């Protein structure tokens, strides 16, 4: 069983390693679907069997997937808005209590800074971090999924590898190689950032290419209509019935002498541009 769990951890970690920013929601939705598939029959039996037995599993899986996806999105928004301020406050307390580093001692050395307490400094840091978080929330919405999925990928890959190597799951958090988890997580984050920028560059190039094609099409249409109307005539040079731009019209006694330019293209997409004269017979 432990080996199976280890292989599953490696598979999930590898799945999140490159593109975890978008795949993390799919994983939680899949886990929610599995939980709903097994737990919804229990809830259905408590409710007196309101749902027929043949529909219990699919309905439970669908409800579990939707609920897990919604919870994941809500957690992402909570981390985006409240994660940095809470992390700063907890980090301040950790340094003061666990490491004996009191930042207040350094703050009071500033001449312009009045005498304040630790609670006042914490509130000041909380307000600044909250303001910066709201100001940079558009960037945090992109960064939070990458950091979370990168951390999960590193933890799953290292834990799965240790489980397969030792043959058993880690008994406690002390048995987990945190340095290796951090290194693999940073590699995953760097990989995701690289491919995210690469995808953004490709989308930008595609957008520019579409814009250029649209502009070229408008220019071609303008060139076709510039100087007069367009008529479908067989060209004596390329022997194709193609669009011709009417360059000039000269009316005679019995007919109209029309100078046209062929706008057709050959198999190599080169324009013909042959200028010739056709006669338009006047109707009686």
């Amino acid at each position: 069983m432990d080996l199976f769990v280890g292989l599953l951890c490696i598979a999930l970690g590898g799945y999140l390693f490159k593109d975890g920013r978008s795949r993390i929601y799919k994983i939680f939705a899949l886990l929610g679907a599995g939980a709903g598939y097994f737990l919804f029959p229990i809830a259905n039996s408590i409710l007196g069997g309101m749902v027929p037995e043949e529909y219990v599993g699919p309905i439970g899986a669908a409800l579990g997937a939707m609920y897990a996806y919604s919870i994941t999105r809500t957690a992402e928004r909570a981390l985006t808005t409240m994660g940095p301020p809470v992390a700063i406050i907890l980090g301040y307390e950790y340094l003061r209590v666990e490491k004996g580093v009191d930042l207040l001692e350094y703050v009071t050395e500033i001449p312009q800074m009045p005498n304040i307490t630790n609670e006042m400094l914490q509130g000041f840091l909380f307000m600044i971090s909250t303001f910066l978080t709201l100001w940079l929330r558009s960037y945090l919405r992109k960064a939070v999924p990458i950091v979370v999925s990168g951390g999960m990928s590193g933890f799953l890959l290292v834990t799965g590898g240790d489980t397969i190597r030792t043959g058993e799951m880690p008994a406690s958090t002390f048995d987990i190689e945190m340095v290796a988890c951090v290194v693999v997580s940073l590699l995953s984050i760097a990989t995701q950032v690289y491919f995210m920028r690469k995808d953004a560059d490709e989308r930008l190039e595609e957008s520019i290419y579409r814009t250029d094609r649209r502009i070229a099409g408008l220019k071609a249409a303008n060139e076709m209509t510039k100087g007069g109307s367009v008529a479908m005539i067989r060209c004596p040079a390329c022997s194709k019935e193609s669009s011709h731009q009417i360059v000039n019209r000269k009316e005679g006694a019995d007919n109209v002498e029309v100078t046209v330019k062929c706008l057709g293209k050959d198999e190599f997409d080169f324009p013909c541009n042959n200028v010739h004269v056709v006669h338009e017979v006047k109707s009686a």
Side-chain angles (χ1 to χ4, degrees):
M1 184 62 182
D2 289 342
L3 293 178
F4 173 76
V5 174
L7 291 175
L8 181 61
C9 289
I10 292 178
L12 293 177
Y15 183 70
L16 291 173
F17 187 85
K18 177 185 174 182
D19 195 19
R21 63 189 182 278
S22 60
R23 294 174 176 176
I24 188 172
Y25 306 110
K26 300 177 183 178
I27 287 183
F28 278 105
L30 182 62
L31 295 176
Y37 183 85
F38 290 106
L39 296 179
F40 189 71
I42 302 175
N44 186 49
S45 62
I46 295 175
L47 296 175
M50 297 177 58
V51 180
E53 290 294 332
E54 60 270 19
Y55 300 113
V56 170
I59 292 177
L63 292 176
M66 290 188 295
Y67 187 72
Y69 184 83
S70 177
I71 289 294
T72 306
R73 284 293 188 183
T74 304
E76 176 199 347
R77 296 188 184 98
L79 287 174
T80 301
T81 55
M82 296 301 298
V86 172
I88 289 177
I89 296 302
L90 293 179
Y92 179 86
E93 286 295 325
Y94 175 78
L95 291 175
R96 187 169 67 90
V97 177
E98 298 294 335
K99 300 298 183 180
V101 178
D102 191 358
L103 298 179
L104 187 61
E105 297 179 358
Y106 301 96
V107 174
T108 53
E109 294 181 1
I110 302 175
Q112 292 80 9
M113 183 65 67
N115 294 328
I116 59 176
T117 62
N118 277 305
E119 290 75 13
M120 294 175 62
L121 180 58
Q122 288 181 0
F124 185 66
L125 292 175
F126 184 81
M127 287 189 297
I128 293 179
S129 58
T130 302
F131 172 76
L132 293 176
T133 300
L134 295 176
W135 182 37
L136 301 173
R137 63 182 179 273
S138 60
Y139 298 99
L140 292 175
R141 287 173 183 171
K142 298 178 182 179
V144 167
I146 294 177
V147 174
V148 173
S149 60
M152 290 182 60
S153 176
F155 174 78
L156 290 172
L157 287 174
V158 174
T159 302
D162 289 342
T163 301
I164 294 178
R165 180 173 56 84
T166 60
E168 56 183 8
M169 291 287 294
S172 64
T173 56
F174 298 101
D175 296 333
I176 301 175
E177 299 180 6
M178 297 304 299
V179 176
C181 290
V182 171
V183 171
V184 177
S185 298
L186 292 177
L187 289 175
S188 174
I189 292 172
T191 303
Q192 292 186 61
V193 171
Y194 170 77
F195 282 102
M196 182 182 67
R197 292 182 176 178
K198 183 178 180 181
D199 294 340
D201 292 340
E202 291 177 353
R203 287 195 298 268
L204 179 59
E205 291 178 0
E206 184 178 355
S207 176
I208 295 174
Y209 179 68
R210 287 198 303 266
T211 303
D212 290 344
R213 283 194 303 176
R214 186 161 53 249
I215 293 174
L218 293 174
K219 183 178 179 181
N222 182 61
E223 290 292 334
M224 289 176 63
T225 57
K226 185 173 61 177
S229 302
V230 177
M232 294 296 296
I233 305 171
R234 180 173 295 277
C235 176
C238 61
S239 302
K240 292 182 180 180
E241 186 174 350
S242 57
S243 299
H244 282 65
Q245 178 185 345
I246 298 176
V247 180
N248 186 30
R249 298 172 63 92
K250 183 179 179 181
E251 296 191 12
D254 299 328
N255 56 23
V256 180
E257 188 178 273
V258 183
T259 304
V260 295
K261 182 175 72 172
C262 180
L263 302 176
K265 296 181 179 180
D266 59 11
E267 61 272 15
F268 301 104
D269 207 28
F270 288 111
C272 177
N273 290 333
N274 177 52
V275 179
H276 58 102
V277 177
V278 294
H279 293 85
E280 180 182 327
V281 180
K282 290 184 177 181
S283 58

